[in-house]
Amino acid sequence: MAESTPAFEVVPLEKGVTLHHRRSDRFKTEYVRVFLRAPLDAYQAERQLFAAMMGRGTRARPSRRELAAHLHHLWGAGYGISVHRMQDRQVFALKASTISGRWLPGRPDNLRELLAFLGEGLDGPARDANDRLDEEVFEQERRQLLVDLAGRRNNKSRWAMIRLREELFGADHPLVRPMHGTQEEIEAATQENAIALGMDTMLHGEADVFVVGPCTTKQAEKLVRKHLGLGERKKERHRKVEMPTMRKRVRSVRETDAVEQGRLVMGFRHPNWTGKEDRTLCAIADTVLGGTFGSKLFKNVREKHSLCYEISSQFDPGHGVLFVSLGIESPNRDAAIKAVKKEVRDLCEGRLEADEVEMAKLTMLSAIEGVVDSPTGMIEFFYQRHLQKRREQSLDAIARRIARTDMGRVPDLLGDLRLDTVFFLDREDAGARRAAS
Amino acid sequence: MKWRSEVSETIGDELLISKTSSGLPVRIIRRPGMAWTSALLAVDYGSIDDQFVAPGRAKARKVPAGIAHFLEHKMFEKAEGDLSERFSAKGAQANAMTGHQMTGYVFNCTSDLEEHLETLFTITCEPYFTPELVDKEQGIIDQEIRGYDDHPGWRAWRALLEGLYHKHAARVDIAGTSKSIRKITADLLHLCHGAFYVPRNMVFTLVGDVDPEAVGDQVDELARRFYGAGRQPVAERVIVPEPETIKKARTRLEMSVSMPITYLGFKGPMGITKPKQLLDLDAAMTLFFEVLLSSAGPLHEELYAEGLITDDFNWSDTVEPGIAYAYVGGKTPDPKRLAARVEAAIADQLAKPLDPTRLEGARRRTIGDFIRSFDSSDSLTWTLAESHFQRWKLFDWPNVLADIGERRIRKLAATMLAPDRTVRVEVVPHRKGS
């Protein structure tokens, strides 16, 4: 039975600043997350560089060594800054955690120290009296960002997915552009722009602060107000990303690389998706298709046809796109496409077995019930829901919604889902191997 | 069942220890308020156990590489179908893992614990292998092997072990090779299952908000049902003597990577099996590397500033009975220069005292990591199994980290980091057409 009280107590601190607090004494660790919103524009390289510079030092601890030494002193406190694409926007995430003082000699007030440290972080990276970053350090982070950009090719499954998305929507689409920025953008980024854009988000981006720990909401509010100093800011004016129109005919792209295994990714799209469709129903349908060991793809494509080891699906309910990804041998490409298409068609036309639906719902209900064991999971889950403006505030309400969702509506919702693009990352020597076999 | 308890001085958690009438060790940590319960049935049997004398046989037998992993895959399949679906049907999550020394079957659930325990024991203790099912699995595992072969980090680690060891079975991939798994038959799977999957060679661990008495009673009944009450013989492992020297000092692989990756691997002393020695060496290596290589020290800062390392610079040590090694590395534009700098820094640090402030920071950080690990029931069940098979006490770890002296850290680290037992692996970008 999932808990019926709201998962987080929500306290508006200022205009555009909200505290989400969850009191829990069952963990050894206390967690704080600060999320700050920015538009999904073309200034990704600058924001990434700003975030990287925040990880290199603060005004009070201007070098990475000093910063790391402080985190070690706090019994291995975790600290990281990243910039993500979430629900058609960019989000800065400052993540920090520390061992609760109850378990340590002298019972130190680690949460207070951690929030004070995050307060330093929100003041932006270390700068000199002229508000300038250390040029050398900035160049080091530019170099690292270029390495990260090039390194996207190293994980072949992820690279195949990136290439599919480029083929689906176009390489310059806001949902596809590299989160690091392009090579040209990274090379052209200046520290002035990075500071201006980054500090604009720190000072004016709509902020959500999540705290999970044994303190009361009042105590958390007091600590956050005192140490984070997040002033009033404008409410975000969120713009939904425009999606390109669907293809009339399926596009198939094959590229080769020095790989041992081919990576097949398929993108299915819905022509009239608004983004306001029932997300719970979509999530259950996705779980039926590829979310468990008993899912359609796992049972039939992997176990029955032995076509692959890895197979998964991922539905993007914001844009009506279904991705299916699998690792296969080159000669199995056509058989795999056919098998996946059959499973997707069965799903979309409502050919769902009662036990498949029950299994999917139970899997999701267990995940909902058990999410309380993972503070970071809770925070991510509820922040995503907060961005989507979902109504249910308690796990029990979410669970009830899953349980009562009528899967008979699947054909109405997903019936028009069509295969749009297939991308296959093949072995360089696949042709030769086929000829020889 | 009779219980014994160990209590952590650091965090106050209690470990309950018992044994069933059929000889299966049981370890439980209660975590009141947790929604998930994690339960693991682990076998002291992994990929390195490829030569053994089976119970009742006179001669040693060598089995194909990858058979322990293959067996783990096949245990889920029974006459009535894939039993992992029984977990999914009730919303639970099941998984299994094979390592060099251990195989484990785990589930996480929020309800129906009794039913899931029954399924866990049925999966693990009741073999059902047919030639058709073995044949089908060969295709799936072959794809798994090929998938891993495209991971540069995995390939580098594999090459590192091949360089460090002459004969030790750790030099062969846990999953075997496409060729070796073709030699696996239903009969061989039965042989391995009978040889190692016996209660006294296994351990049951659980972490969650449960009644330990009730769980203990059910586990006792299940173990008796599947194995009877008597002691069962276990296979005798054949230990192949491994020289202290390394096999191959340099390995270069070409792969489709954006930038070279290099790892330095260090062959530790062979044959350490005593629990205290294992813990001391592991603690010494953890603290030595943390002081020397972490971003709280000057070496990391210098290497990063010079562009010799990137954000993925990492290190690790493995200390298990009979096998100990460590590695340092990551992406770098200049593998040779990075290796030379790290080797020189190690030699320099072994010769002079560790900075006391950084050592204190390293101790705090690693003790913090230990405390934090209690927030993950799933990973804790694996640690409990590991500590049981390696015969060390879970709650001793933070004390060892806190108490080990500076000189002893360096003395033990020197046994692991000898220059003549160092290998280097480079993964370099593949040239088209080569």
Side-chain angles (χ1 to χ4, degrees), chain A residues 26-29 31 56 63-66 68-69 72-78 97-99 102-104 136 140-141 143-144 147-148 150-156 256-263 292-294 298-299 302-304 306-310 327-329 332 358-360 362-363 365-367 369-373 427-428 433, chain B residues 10-13 31-36 73 77 82 84-85 88-95 110 136-137 139-140 143-144 146-152 155 255-259 261 290 294-298 300-301 304-312 331 358 360-365 367-369 371-372 374-375 377 430 432-433:
Chain A
R26 73 174 75 167
F27 303 107
K28 311 290 185 201
T29 316
Y31 298 84
R56 291 299 301 269
S63 74
R64 177 145 63 188
R65 279 178 68 185
E66 288 166 278
H72 281 197
H73 172 75
L74 290 176
W75 299 86
S97 62
T98 181
I99 303 297
R102 294 175 296 159
W103 312 112
L104 297 170
E136 220 171 282
Q140 289 169 18
E141 292 310 319
R143 184 176 64 211
Q144 176 65 47
V147 167
D148 290 344
R152 298 190 310 159
R153 285 170 175 269
N154 293 355
N155 183 316
K156 301 305 170 192
T256 61
D257 198 351
V259 291
E260 290 295 320
Q261 183 182 60
R263 263 60 172 202
T292 69
F293 285 129
F298 191 89
K299 257 190 330 194
R302 172 179 146 147
E303 294 293 310
K304 194 168 147 194
S306 287
L307 285 168
C308 58
Y309 170 72
E310 275 181 12
I328 56 165
E329 279 292 277
N332 291 337
E358 195 188 339
M359 192 184 289
L362 279 168
T363 299
L365 290 170
S366 287
E369 201 178 328
V371 75
V372 293
D373 283 359
R427 296 171 60 120
E428 269 178 3
R433 280 165 63 89
Chain B
T10 319
I11 46 176
D13 283 42
R31 295 297 316 276
M34 296 302 254
W36 286 107
H73 268 236
E77 197 107 28
D82 185 345
S84 58
E85 284 184 31
S88 311
K90 295 276 181 181
Q93 300 165 354
N95 208 345
T110 56
K136 186 196 81 176
E137 201 65 32
I140 293 173
Q143 285 306 311
E144 184 181 1
R146 287 173 192 277
Y148 274 111
D149 280 348
D150 285 331
H151 286 279
R155 285 282 295 278
M255 287 185 75
S256 170
V257 291
S258 56
M259 174 177 212
I261 296 167
E290 193 65 37
S294 85
S295 55
H300 190 285
E301 190 174 55
Y304 193 86
E306 290 168 38
L308 274 179
I309 59 170
T310 67
D311 269 357
D312 80 333
K331 289 195 201 105
R358 295 216 309 277
E360 175 56 20
R363 288 190 208 273
R364 282 185 168 220
R365 187 202 160 128
I367 291 169
D369 284 348
I371 297 172
R372 200 185 292 259
F374 280 72
D375 284 343
S377 303
H430 165 82
K432 205 119 179 161

Side-chain angles (χ1 to χ4, degrees), chain B residues 84-218:
Chain B
S84 58
E85 284 184 31
R86 285 196 192 167
F87 292 112
S88 311
K90 295 276 181 181
Q93 300 165 354
N95 208 345
M97 193 277 294
T98 306
H100 283 137
Q101 313 230 13
M102 179 166 86
T103 306
Y105 302 81
V106 68
F107 71 79
N108 297 291
C109 69
T110 56
S111 63
D112 304 292
L113 177 63
E114 282 182 33
E115 202 177 319
H116 294 315
L117 285 174
E118 174 98 25
T119 306
L120 179 71
F121 274 77
T122 309
I123 283 172
T124 314
C125 307
E126 205 169 70
Y128 176 77
F129 312 125
T130 66
E132 296 74 30
L133 290 174
V134 170
D135 196 41
K136 186 196 81 176
E137 201 65 32
Q138 281 167 345
I140 293 173
I141 294 180
D142 193 27
Q143 285 306 311
E144 184 181 1
I145 293 170
R146 287 173 192 277
Y148 274 111
D149 280 348
D150 285 331
H151 286 279
W154 177 262
R155 285 282 295 278
W157 180 64
R158 295 273 345 112
L160 199 120
L161 292 176
E162 284 169 18
L164 289 174
Y165 295 101
H166 294 261
K167 296 175 181 174
H168 198 286
R171 69 188 309 278
V172 182
D173 194 336
I174 289 165
T177 63
S178 296
K179 203 172 157 191
S180 74
I181 60 168
R182 297 279 159 205
K183 295 179 191 158
I184 292 170
T185 62
D187 284 347
L188 283 175
L189 291 173
H190 276 291
L191 177 80
C192 293
H193 186 270
F196 293 103
Y197 282 54
V198 292
R200 69 191 176 96
N201 196 48
M202 297 163 75
V203 65
F204 172 80
T205 69
L206 182 144
V207 178
D209 187 359
V210 297
D211 171 4
E213 289 292 340
V215 171
D217 288 348
Q218 193 192 350

Side-chain angles (χ1 to χ4, degrees), chain A residues 381-399:
Chain A
F381 181 67
F382 276 93
Y383 183 57
Q384 292 273 5
R385 291 183 66 85
H386 180 63
L387 291 178
Q388 292 160 14
K389 299 187 170 39
R390 305 284 288 268
R391 276 204 311 273
E392 298 86 359
Q393 299 293 317
S394 76
L395 293 168
D396 183 50
I398 298 167

Side-chain angles (χ1 to χ4, degrees), chain B residues 210-253:
Chain B
V210 297
D211 171 4
E213 289 292 340
V215 171
D217 288 348
Q218 193 192 350
V219 168
D220 184 51
E221 189 274 318
L222 286 165
R224 241 184 305 129
R225 194 192 322 157
F226 284 102
Y227 290 105
R231 275 168 70 89
Q232 305 241 342
V234 184
E236 200 181 307
R237 291 170 173 84
V238 175
I239 309 289
V240 180
E242 167 68 28
E244 294 283 343
T245 57
I246 55 165
K247 163 97 173 157
K248 190 179 176 190
R250 301 280 176 272
T251 302
R252 186 182 159 95
L253 303 170

Side-chain angles (χ1 to χ4, degrees), chain A residues 159-392:
Chain A
W159 176 243
M161 185 60 82
I162 288 169
R163 286 290 299 114
L164 172 79
R165 294 169 72 92
E166 286 179 352
E167 295 295 334
L168 258 175
F169 306 133
D172 211 29
H173 189 270
L175 295 180
V176 179
R177 289 166 47 76
M179 272 310 292
H180 316 79
T182 63
Q183 184 175 336
E184 296 72 31
E185 288 164 354
I186 296 169
E187 283 166 353
T190 62
Q191 65 153 294
E192 290 77 13
N193 279 348
I195 293 175
L197 284 156
M199 285 313 295
D200 183 62
T201 307
M202 296 298 115
L203 295 170
H204 306 298
E206 187 166 347
D208 290 277
V209 182
F210 284 76
V211 177
V212 178
C215 60
T216 63
T217 302
K218 277 268 169 249
Q219 288 166 329
E221 181 182 344
K222 199 173 158 192
L223 285 169
V224 168
R225 280 188 190 281
K226 181 175 176 191
H227 294 293
L228 299 193
L230 291 162
E232 184 178 314
R233 47 201 67 212
K234 280 183 192 156
K235 284 269 187 188
E236 179 195 37
R237 292 174 68 185
H238 183 230
R239 282 204 202 116
K240 201 167 162 4
V241 166
E242 295 274 324
M243 299 302 284
T245 50
M246 249 183 95
R247 282 197 178 81
K248 292 206 169 83
R249 298 182 66 180
V250 177
R251 177 168 161 74
S252 189
V253 179
R254 174 182 172 270
E255 288 175 5
T256 61
D257 198 351
V259 291
E260 290 295 320
Q261 183 182 60
R263 263 60 172 202
L264 177 67
V265 274
M266 300 165 69
F268 296 81
R269 288 190 63 194
H270 192 289
N272 308 308
W273 200 259
T274 64
K276 291 176 185 162
E277 289 78 3
D278 184 342
R279 286 177 181 244
T280 306
L281 190 142
C282 293
I284 301 169
D286 190 23
T287 309
V288 168
L289 182 67
T292 69
F293 285 129
S295 65
K296 284 176 174 291
L297 292 175
F298 191 89
K299 257 190 330 194
N300 298 322
V301 183
R302 172 179 146 147
E303 294 293 310
K304 194 168 147 194
H305 298 300
S306 287
L307 285 168
C308 58
Y309 170 72
E310 275 181 12
I311 184 160
S312 61
S313 69
Q314 187 195 340
F315 190 75
D316 171 357
H319 307 101
V321 191
L322 170 71
F323 301 98
V324 176
S325 160
L326 52 168
I328 56 165
E329 279 292 277
S330 305
N332 291 337
R333 193 196 84 126
D334 293 345
I337 291 174
K338 193 175 162 194
V340 170
K341 276 170 73 177
K342 181 193 176 300
E343 299 308 324
V344 174
R345 194 169 58 244
D346 281 356
L347 174 83
C348 295
E349 291 176 3
R351 283 188 287 280
L352 310 175
E353 303 292 334
D355 62 341
E356 290 175 333
V357 172
E358 195 188 339
M359 192 184 289
K361 285 188 173 183
L362 279 168
T363 299
M364 290 173 64
L365 290 170
S366 287
I368 294 295
E369 201 178 328
V371 75
V372 293
D373 283 359
S374 164
T376 52
M378 284 283 277
I379 292 170
E380 300 290 338
F381 181 67
F382 276 93
Y383 183 57
Q384 292 273 5
R385 291 183 66 85
H386 180 63
L387 291 178
Q388 292 160 14
K389 299 187 170 39
R390 305 284 288 268
R391 276 204 311 273
E392 298 86 359

